[in-house]
Amino acid sequence: MSNAVSALNHASYQGFALVEEMGLQGMITLRGDFADATFQKAVKDVCGQDIPGQREVTVADGKGVAWMSPDELLVLVPYSDSASAAMDLAEALKGTHALAANVSDARVVIRVKGENAREVIAKIAPVDLSVASFQPGQIRRTRLAQVAAAFWMSGEDEFTIVAFRSVADYVFNLLKTSAIKGSEVGYL
Amino acid sequence: MLILECPYCGVAAEETELAAGGEAHLTRFGPGSSDDDFETYMFMRENPKGVNFERWRHANGCGKWFHAARCTMTLEVFGTYSAQTYEPPADLIKAIKKKRPDWPGYGAHK
């Protein structure tokens, strides 16, 4: 079997916050009817979580699920399990109007960590990142400068960013520039 | 800066997160229709000065299409609503009428 590598192979940069590529992450795009009991059970079985509410994300022990739109979820599983998890989902949802696609190799996951991590993101996304309006447990699909991305706070002072693999380099360099020492805004 | 609230994900999305989709509530005339009907569907737009109904897509977000009612003159946003409808919701029309008593009403041109 071929040796799978992530887009940037754990590249990292220490600015006023740490920017690091997280390596391989299993990800499944799942679409269907959230109100359907079969769908709810399939989600629970694959990642151990209930369907999250609007713009919410729950992750525990390397597994999780994120709300992407009223009919789309992003299921997170360990990379090695992603192919079988996608097949299990497809099997469980057979006969219902649903879709499960393994997109693990089409994405890049980058983490921004540090006291001023909010600022790194706030400079490049049209999102209010004040403590009052963005908290751990919330996910936001938006853009980072010129490309689409989604991010959530995976802890206090820590963001996990998901973007398309084809723009991994662009996103990493963008975050790097945004995190250059001395460019702190000190507002958030 | 134009800010529209996406009715699907509840985000107050600013313009750069959205993609404009032109006039809302067009009646589609497809294969088999008369040339006149097709021309109207294809080219004729209301382009009003004042209250306008538009289609928008939350492109850098949940990806859903939705509708917005806003003023082309002042850029005031009256409201946004779901794409699963053929006409604006009654309460929105009422709210606009209250703000713009001179507005002839939805569909007045048709």
Side-chain angles (χ1 to χ4, degrees):
Chain A
M1 204 182 140
S2 57
N3 180 28
V5 277
S6 63
L8 304 171
N9 213 2
H10 297 274
S12 74
Y13 170 80
Q14 180 67 59
F16 67 76
L18 174 71
V19 181
E20 53 178 343
E21 200 248 7
M22 296 310 291
L24 297 164
Q25 165 72 55
M27 269 182 238
I28 298 158
T29 286
L30 185 62
R31 301 192 75 158
D33 179 5
F34 291 5
D36 182 1
T38 317
F39 187 85
Q40 291 168 351
K41 186 177 178 298
V43 173
K44 184 104 191 171
D45 287 349
V46 74
C47 66
Q49 305 284 355
D50 289 323
I51 292 179
Q54 190 183 52
R55 296 202 313 282
E56 284 175 5
V57 55
T58 36
V59 186
D61 309 323
K63 287 182 171 189
V65 61
W67 188 97
M68 300 299 267
S69 88
D71 60 0
E72 182 181 340
L73 297 173
L74 185 69
V75 176
L76 303 168
V77 291
Y79 182 81
S80 52
D81 301 343
S82 57
S84 61
M87 275 200 291
D88 290 347
L89 276 171
E91 187 60 38
L93 295 167
K94 218 175 210 170
T96 66
H97 187 61
L99 171 90
N102 182 4
V103 295
S104 313
D105 294 319
R107 302 286 162 85
V108 61
V109 183
I110 299 173
R111 190 160 286 175
V112 176
K113 205 173 177 176
E115 214 181 310
N116 293 318
R118 281 178 188 272
E119 278 196 2
V120 178
I121 314 283
K123 284 187 198 176
I124 52 179
V127 178
D128 182 359
L129 283 161
S130 60
V131 180
S133 51
F134 201 79
Q135 284 289 328
Q138 279 174 281
I139 184 169
R140 184 69 155 80
R141 284 178 89 176
T142 179
R143 64 179 177 92
L144 293 180
Q146 302 187 49
V147 296
F151 56 75
W152 65 89
M153 290 184 79
S154 33
E156 290 298 325
D157 306 327
E158 185 184 294
F159 282 82
T160 301
I161 297 147
V162 176
F164 289 117
R165 186 182 178 125
S166 55
V167 293
D169 202 40
Y170 174 84
V171 174
F172 185 77
N173 286 328
L174 183 67
L175 291 164
K176 224 168 115 175
T177 311
S178 186
I180 284 175
K181 273 188 190 142
S183 72
E184 299 92 331
V185 180
Y187 184 75
L188 287 173
Chain B
M1 183 61 70
L2 178 65
I3 295 175
L4 300 176
E5 190 185 318
C6 171
Y8 294 97
C9 63
V11 158
E14 60 119 358
E15 210 173 333
T16 60
E17 230 176 76
L18 304 165
E23 190 179 316
H25 309 302
L26 296 174
T27 306
R28 183 174 187 273
F29 290 98
S33 59
S34 74
D35 286 355
D36 283 352
D37 280 345
F38 187 75
E39 187 209 9
T40 321
Y41 157 65
M42 196 72 186
F43 302 110
M44 297 310 186
R45 295 295 180 265
E46 199 181 341
N47 195 22
K49 180 182 180 186
V51 181
N52 192 28
F53 297 90
E54 299 167 333
R55 299 194 322 135
W56 286 87
R57 183 172 172 254
H58 196 185
N60 281 318
C62 65
K64 300 292 181 201
W65 283 96
F66 61 92
H67 287 127
R70 62 188 194 105
C71 178
T72 54
M73 201 163 57
T74 63
L75 300 191
E76 177 183 1
V77 177
F78 300 112
T80 55
Y81 52 100
S82 146
Q84 277 74 43
T85 177
Y86 290 111
E87 54 184 52
D91 54 339
L92 180 64
I93 289 181
K94 223 167 127 186
I96 299 173
K97 272 245 163 84
K98 211 170 162 189
K99 281 184 179 169
R100 301 284 154 93
D102 294 343
W103 178 51
Y106 170 72
H109 66 289
K110 283 173 186 161

